[in-house]
């Protein structure tokens, strides 16, 4: 028999919020994100986006028609393509004029993209590649952005750069962000709210700053790491 990874989970993300999913490996964080995105279809329950039940809508339709963006943890840029070509892939169903205008907007928001516009993505550092992955997902102007471990494999300095880029897009474009993250304390610093998952259910939820200062949360879920 198949085992349910997620069991009786309820969460909400309000417009313009940054919400983080925390918890140990194997607790269902990425599965939940992939279910919301449409890569996986839930056997029961519903996923509601702006009052519409989108539980059975596949990911490409959510991206093209429902304002959803998704940045996977790995293989999220094409190394052999230039920065410009990577962004064009993100806007492949947009008109040429709109695609060009959107690339300019994102290069203004993230100057590193403009500096390396015609260089292959393989020439970028890990943090720069994450910013490119973010920009590619932002090409069609999504209203909700799902990020799976945006800081994976990054140095502390690069992590700060990527988190700053995430906050920037929320502040400048009003994009709602739901992300899975292992760097719990860093993620909580930039989030409005968080959910702590355990064994496929929500173990704790609350405002990010109150979870950060909760000694039980630090000990159980954040490895006792003090900021």
């Amino acid at each position: 028999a198949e085992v349910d990874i997620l069991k009786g989970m309820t969460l909400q993300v309000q417009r313009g919020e940054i919400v983080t999913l925390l918890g140990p490996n194997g607790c269902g964080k990425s599965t939940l994100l992939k279910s919301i995105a449409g890569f996986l279809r839930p056997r029961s329950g519903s996923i509601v986006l702006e009052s519409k039940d989108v539980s059975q809508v596949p990911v490409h339709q959510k991206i093209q028609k429902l304002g959803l963006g998704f940045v996977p943890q790995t293989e999220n840029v094409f190394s052999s393509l230039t920065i410009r070509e990577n962004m064009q892939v993100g806007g492949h169903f947009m008109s040429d004029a709109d695609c060009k205008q959107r690339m300019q907007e994102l290069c203004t928001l993230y100057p590193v993209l403009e500096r390396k516009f015609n260089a292959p993505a393989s020439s970028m550092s890990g943090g720069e590649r994450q910013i490119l992955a973010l920009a590619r997902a932002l090409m069609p102007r999504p209203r909700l952005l799902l990020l799976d471990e945006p800081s994976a494999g990054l140095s502390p300095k690069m992590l700060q750069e990527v988190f700053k880029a995430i906050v920037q897009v929320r502040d400048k474009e009003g994009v709602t962000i739901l992300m899975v993250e292992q760097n719990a304390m860093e993620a909580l610093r930039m989030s409005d709210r968080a959910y702590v998952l355990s064994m496929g259910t929500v173990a704790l939820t609350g405002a990010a700053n109150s979870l950060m200062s909760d000694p039980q949360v630090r000990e159980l879920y954040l490895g006792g790491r003090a900021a």
Side-chain angles (χ1 to χ4, degrees), residues 106-117 131 168:
L106 290 167
C107 283
T108 302
L109 188 61
Y110 303 131
V112 65
L113 302 177
E114 191 159 37
R115 285 200 302 274
K116 299 195 170 185
F117 200 54
I131 291 169
Q168 246 178 329

Side-chain angles (χ1 to χ4, degrees), residues 32-87:
L32 177 58
L33 214 61
K34 285 172 184 163
S35 299
I36 295 168
F39 290 104
L40 303 171
R41 296 190 182 188
R43 282 205 280 273
S44 63
S46 59
I47 295 158
V48 177
L49 184 59
E50 295 181 335
S51 306
K52 295 189 197 92
D53 187 334
V54 297
S55 312
Q56 303 304 315
V57 178
V59 63
H60 67 277
Q61 283 187 17
K62 283 181 178 162
I63 289 170
Q64 290 191 23
K65 297 178 181 171
L66 299 177
L68 181 126
F70 181 76
V71 180
Q73 182 181 343
T74 56
E75 296 178 10
N76 53 20
V77 299
F78 297 107
S79 296
S80 60
L81 298 184
T82 64
I83 280 72
R84 176 177 55 81
E85 288 164 340
N86 266 280
M87 292 172 78

Side-chain angles (χ1 to χ4, degrees), residues 185-186 189 212 218-219 222-227:
M185 294 313 266
E186 295 295 339
R189 277 197 192 92
M212 264 176 84
R218 282 176 179 272
E219 191 181 338
L222 309 181
R225 291 195 301 274

Side-chain angles (χ1 to χ4, degrees), residues 150-165:
S151 76
L154 298 184
S155 67
K157 182 171 183 281
M158 284 285 98
L159 178 149
Q160 296 293 345
E161 289 291 309
V162 169
F163 279 3
K164 186 174 145 198

